[in-house]
Amino acid sequence: MLMMITQVYSSPSSVLSLLTYSSHRVIRASQDQHLHAETLKSHHLSSGSFSSYTSLCSCGRKHFLEAATPTMPFLPICSPNASRSKDVSETFHPQRPDWYKELFALFLSKGMQSYEAEIADYKRKLFHNLTGKAEKVLEIGVGTCPNLKYYASNENIYVFGIDPNHKMEKYACEAAREAGMKPENFRFMQGVGEAIPLDDDSVDAVVATLVLCSVSDVTQTLNEIKRVLKPGGIFVFIEHVAAKDGSFLRNVQNVLDPVQYVVADGCHLTRNTDLYISAAGFDGGTEINNAAIYSFPWIIRPHVYGVAYK
């Protein structure tokens, strides 16, 4: 990411993994070619089965409980085929060497303080929607978990943190500890937004912050979010977006977008994420607000944030 901002995806972890399997669907790969609002097209999920899995946290906290344990709500959502999960991740996300993944994880952990300080008020407002209302939460592109401190104080909350970059796991585990979460209430999983490894209607809320800029297929990811949300569930988001068409900033974004894609792990500067969310068809309605963030490079200044209801 270096001078630019994104949330990350990467390949499955080779570190300690415990895997179980359940039948699901195979998600057909598709490409997102910088779709603009006026050319948004529907992408359809093909049926079948796809695999999902859980992992042991590299910081030593065991996150897998036996199926007979009545207090663990995460089962049965996972799958015992690591190579299958790897194939799914590689289908949807550019692969990077381990040194890149580690550097990117370190940057997100140490280099985002000014951004997080500026956006804190927005996050407090947004995540208030989860307080006391959501017990099972999925956060896609969880990265180093900067959001947990805003909504994970409830001792009954369970969080799935999904990110294909296995180098994020140690930072995510540490953030969960600092947020005061019980060890068994946080699970780092490796996966991508286009093929979420959870059952239908399985979570109360989905969180995405600086994620939809870097998924390969925004429409498919939003369809997956709707699929895993329970009826009445909420999708909470903060995303940087493309500047207004024809503006000087948008012209600069157009020029720098290919560079951003390479250095920021698949991130796009020219994505109209707000229009994708509006067109996603959340039955309960969508609330989208605009913001400008100044503490990071000006090319990602335009932001949107809000809540969508299933």
Side-chain angles (χ1 to χ4, degrees):
M1 207 156 94
L2 301 180
M3 292 183 61
M4 305 170 196
I5 188 168
T6 186
Q7 189 79 352
V8 260
Y9 286 96
S10 65
S11 61
S13 171
S14 60
V15 297
L16 304 174
S17 297
L18 267 176
L19 310 168
T20 71
Y21 244 67
S22 67
S23 178
H24 233 316
R25 66 183 72 180
V26 171
I27 307 293
R28 178 173 55 85
S30 61
Q31 295 296 319
D32 176 5
Q33 301 293 337
H34 300 284
L35 295 181
H36 295 289
E38 61 272 17
T39 58
L40 287 177
K41 296 181 181 179
S42 298
H43 296 264
H44 300 284
L45 303 179
S46 54
S47 356
S49 74
F50 79 88
S51 56
S52 50
Y53 60 94
T54 61
S55 68
L56 290 180
C57 178
S58 61
C59 60
R61 300 183 305 155
K62 187 173 182 180
H63 287 174
F64 178 87
L65 300 182
E66 298 297 331
T69 304
T71 58
M72 188 59 184
F74 290 132
L75 305 173
I77 51 169
C78 303
S79 138
N81 191 329
S83 63
R84 178 70 172 189
S85 296
K86 184 175 187 295
D87 291 342
V88 171
S89 276
E90 291 182 350
T91 296
F92 289 103
H93 194 72
Q95 296 307 295
R96 311 293 190 188
D98 276 356
W99 67 262
Y100 179 100
K101 298 172 187 175
E102 181 62 58
L103 182 63
F104 204 80
L106 179 64
F107 174 80
L108 290 185
S109 176
K110 306 298 184 183
M112 298 287 286
Q113 286 90 344
S114 61
Y115 174 85
E116 290 295 334
E118 183 176 357
I119 208 165
D121 287 341
Y122 295 103
K123 287 189 174 184
R124 274 190 286 269
K125 178 181 178 181
L126 272 180
F127 293 131
H128 180 69
N129 290 282
L130 306 183
T131 306
K133 304 172 186 176
E135 291 190 352
K136 298 181 186 178
V137 177
L138 162 67
E139 185 162 348
I140 62 172
V142 68
T144 58
C145 286
N147 300 324
L148 286 180
K149 61 185 178 183
Y150 295 101
Y151 67 83
S153 58
N154 181 354
E155 65 177 10
N156 295 320
I157 200 168
Y158 295 86
V159 179
F160 297 101
I162 293 182
D163 196 307
N165 186 347
H166 62 279
K167 299 295 186 178
M168 299 291 181
E169 187 173 5
K170 60 185 177 183
Y171 299 105
C173 291
E174 179 63 26
R177 280 198 299 268
E178 291 179 354
M181 295 194 69
K182 298 176 182 178
E184 65 271 22
N185 284 19
F186 176 75
R187 179 178 298 172
F188 183 92
M189 304 173 68
Q190 292 166 350
V192 291
E194 295 89 343
I196 295 172
L198 301 181
D199 284 339
D200 297 355
D201 306 326
S202 57
V203 296
D204 301 304
V206 176
V207 172
T209 62
L210 303 181
V211 175
L212 297 180
C213 58
S214 59
V215 299
S216 64
D217 191 318
V218 185
T219 301
Q220 185 163 304
T221 300
L222 290 168
N223 285 338
E224 282 289 276
I225 288 170
K226 290 191 298 180
R227 179 184 64 78
V228 300
L229 276 175
K230 296 177 181 178
I234 61 175
F235 170 45
V236 178
F237 57 89
I238 300 175
E239 299 288 342
H240 73 83
V241 295
K244 185 178 179 181
D245 285 338
S247 67
F248 174 75
L249 177 54
R250 179 56 178 271
N251 291 334
V252 174
Q253 289 178 331
N254 290 339
V255 172
L256 294 180
D257 194 78
V259 179
Q260 173 80 347
Y261 180 82
V262 173
V263 302
D265 204 21
C267 173
H268 294 278
L269 296 170
T270 57
R271 187 165 278 174
N272 291 303
T273 302
D274 50 337
L275 299 174
Y276 280 97
I277 296 172
S278 295
F282 284 90
D283 294 337
T286 304
E287 301 171 6
I288 301 178
N289 306 281
N290 295 298
I293 303 300
Y294 293 88
S295 59
F296 235 70
W298 60 281
I299 55 169
I300 53 90
R301 182 170 298 168
H303 276 56
V304 295
Y305 65 97
V307 181
Y309 304 86
K310 180 173 178 179

